[in-house]
Amino acid sequence: TLGEAWAQLKKSLADEAEVHLKFSSKLQSEVEKPFLTFRENFKKDMKRFDHHIADLRKQLVGRYAAVEKARKALGDRQKELELKTQQLESKLSNKTEEEIKKARRKSTQAGDDLMRCVDLYNQTQSKWFEEMVTTSLVRSHQFVKKVCCTRAI
């Protein structure tokens, strides 16, 4: 009688071990491997997004430098215009009116350059912000989608 019970116990344990083996195999193929694939793809995407955002950041820094340069140029042109105007008032030079017109033109041009640089900076900043938000949303969406799909398994 003990031999028959022992055989049934042995068969039951072997069946249970087989079920566990199938379950672990299924977990590995349907959960672990897709997660590893997702992780690798996610790393690649993150690297690409980070590179893209870094490029945009460099553009933003370049635009900011251009704005500062244009702002300095405008300040220099305005100082030059003031100097020419003072020279006209004291009548130190005969060519002062022409020089004032030239200085005004340069000052106006420097102001226009500054405005153009500020516009480019604002466009670049807006694009950078938009890309940051989009990238963050894409990353979080991919992660949530993967986690939800895995839980359904």
Side-chain angles (χ1 to χ4, degrees):
T1 59
L2 187 60
E4 190 175 311
W6 184 253
Q8 285 181 352
L9 179 65
K10 198 173 162 184
K11 183 180 183 315
S12 174
L13 287 174
D15 290 345
E16 190 175 341
E18 187 177 329
V19 167
H20 283 227
L21 184 63
K22 286 180 182 177
F23 180 69
S24 73
S25 169
K26 193 169 186 174
L27 272 178
Q28 185 180 18
S29 67
E30 293 182 13
V31 177
E32 185 181 4
K33 283 184 183 176
F35 258 128
L36 291 175
T37 303
F38 171 76
R39 185 179 75 181
E40 291 304 314
N41 291 340
F42 191 72
K43 281 182 182 179
K44 290 176 187 174
D45 289 344
M46 292 269 289
K47 211 176 223 183
R48 187 178 39 132
F49 288 140
D50 288 343
H51 182 67
H52 182 65
I53 295 299
D55 286 346
L56 288 175
R57 183 174 285 138
K58 285 179 187 176
Q59 285 180 2
L60 192 60
V61 167
R63 299 281 190 224
Y64 183 78
V67 166
E68 290 302 313
K69 184 178 177 182
R71 187 180 320 229
K72 184 180 180 310
L74 178 60
D76 292 345
R77 298 295 180 233
Q78 287 176 339
K79 286 178 186 176
E80 184 181 327
L81 178 60
E82 284 178 29
L83 181 65
K84 300 293 181 184
T85 305
Q86 288 174 357
Q87 287 177 353
L88 178 64
E89 288 174 359
S90 62
K91 299 200 180 208
L92 294 175
S93 173
N94 295 335
K95 297 182 180 179
T96 318
E97 286 185 42
E98 287 179 28
E99 290 175 0
I100 287 178
K101 287 180 185 178
K102 187 176 178 181
R104 278 190 188 136
R105 192 171 47 249
K106 285 182 179 181
S107 180
T108 303
Q109 184 180 3
D112 292 344
D113 288 346
L114 176 61
M115 292 303 293
R116 183 180 51 78
C117 288
V118 168
D119 286 342
L120 288 174
Y121 175 79
N122 288 336
Q123 289 172 6
T124 304
Q125 185 179 34
S126 176
K127 185 177 178 182
W128 178 80
F129 182 75
E130 182 180 312
E131 287 291 327
M132 285 293 291
V133 170
T134 303
T135 299
S136 299
L137 289 175
V138 166
R139 288 176 181 172
S140 62
H141 177 72
Q142 287 176 343
F143 181 73
V144 169
K145 183 178 175 183
K146 190 62 175 179
V147 169
C148 290
C149 290
T150 303
R151 286 187 180 173
I153 295 173

